[in-house]
Amino acid sequence: AKTNQGITIGFDDNNCEKINIDIYDILLKDSSDSQENKNINEKNFEINCIDIDFDLLTPDEIDYDVDLYIKSKELSNYFSELIQFGEDIYINCESNLLKLSSLSGDNSMVQKLSFDQIERYEVVEDYNIKTKYKLNYLNNISTLHKVFPIVKLCIQNNVPLCAYFED
């Protein structure tokens, strides 16, 4: 429904197989007039109801090896620079160093971050992560830095990256 339109949704008790939707324009009379609003330009819809059997798909709970909390604006800047050098981002995480790299042909870029530059991190003992993701997707979601100042990246070998944006 648009401005100055009303909508009524219901169904007939005798026929529960259909939903009735009425959309109508409301013509407002002069405010000094005590008469009811007048309905014009009415549209009526009758839609069949369907029964949907579905299985809810939920991902398995994963305890990631590395959880990094980083300023989302900084991460967005890293991604926008790396995307100039290739379609994939390689994440190498070991000891106290995080390396983000991208390459295309003979050109490459490596961004090294010490964990001092990261807001917070949680890692398992003796971790060593070397994984690859599509940089285009990460670059697109990193535009949320305008709304969320911190992003949590959950990383593990051979598992999709998980990103949580926090206030």
Side-chain angles (χ1 to χ4, degrees):
K2 299 177 185 171
T3 304
N4 293 332
Q5 282 188 324
I7 186 168
T8 304
I9 301 174
F11 63 92
D12 184 359
D13 289 334
N14 297 327
N15 185 5
C16 296
E17 307 246 338
K18 294 190 183 278
I19 293 177
N20 300 314
I21 301 173
D22 300 323
I23 299 176
Y24 49 89
D25 289 342
I26 301 174
L27 179 62
L28 300 175
K29 296 273 187 185
D30 189 298
S31 60
S32 63
D33 193 352
S34 63
Q35 291 183 344
E36 292 288 319
N37 294 336
K38 183 179 177 185
N39 295 336
I40 61 170
N41 195 17
E42 187 171 305
K43 296 176 188 173
N44 306 95
F45 303 91
E46 193 174 87
I47 301 172
N48 290 326
C49 296
I50 58 173
D51 248 347
I52 299 176
D53 290 327
F54 64 91
D55 292 328
L56 183 61
L57 297 176
T58 56
D60 295 334
E61 282 293 320
I62 298 173
D63 190 19
Y64 288 89
D65 289 345
V66 177
D67 294 336
L68 298 171
Y69 297 80
I70 188 167
K71 291 181 180 171
S72 54
K73 175 66 175 164
E74 290 178 14
L75 191 64
S76 178
N77 291 339
Y78 299 147
F79 289 162
S80 63
E81 291 173 356
L82 286 163
I83 203 164
Q84 304 297 319
F85 290 88
E87 296 177 357
D88 297 322
I89 183 171
Y90 299 88
I91 299 176
N92 186 353
C93 193
E94 56 187 42
S95 299
N96 286 331
L97 185 65
L98 173 68
K99 286 196 292 188
L100 308 174
S101 58
S102 183
L103 58 102
S104 175
D106 293 335
N107 303 317
S108 68
M109 178 184 171
V110 176
Q111 175 70 51
K112 295 179 183 177
L113 299 168
S114 71
F115 284 149
D116 296 336
Q117 295 172 275
I118 296 171
E119 294 293 309
R120 191 170 102 215
Y121 62 94
E122 299 165 2
V123 296
V124 297
E125 229 176 280
D126 299 326
Y127 64 94
N128 185 359
I129 293 178
K130 293 180 182 176
T131 189
K132 171 178 95 168
Y133 302 104
K134 288 292 180 191
L135 188 51
N136 189 36
Y137 298 124
L138 294 175
N139 191 45
N140 287 340
I141 66 168
S142 72
T143 59
L144 290 171
H145 72 82
K146 298 171 185 170
V147 180
F148 301 102
I150 302 291
V151 62
K152 173 185 173 186
L153 297 179
C154 303
I155 306 168
Q156 184 164 322
N157 285 326
N158 303 317
V159 175
L161 179 130
C162 186
Y164 295 97
F165 288 89
E166 300 181 352
D167 292 333

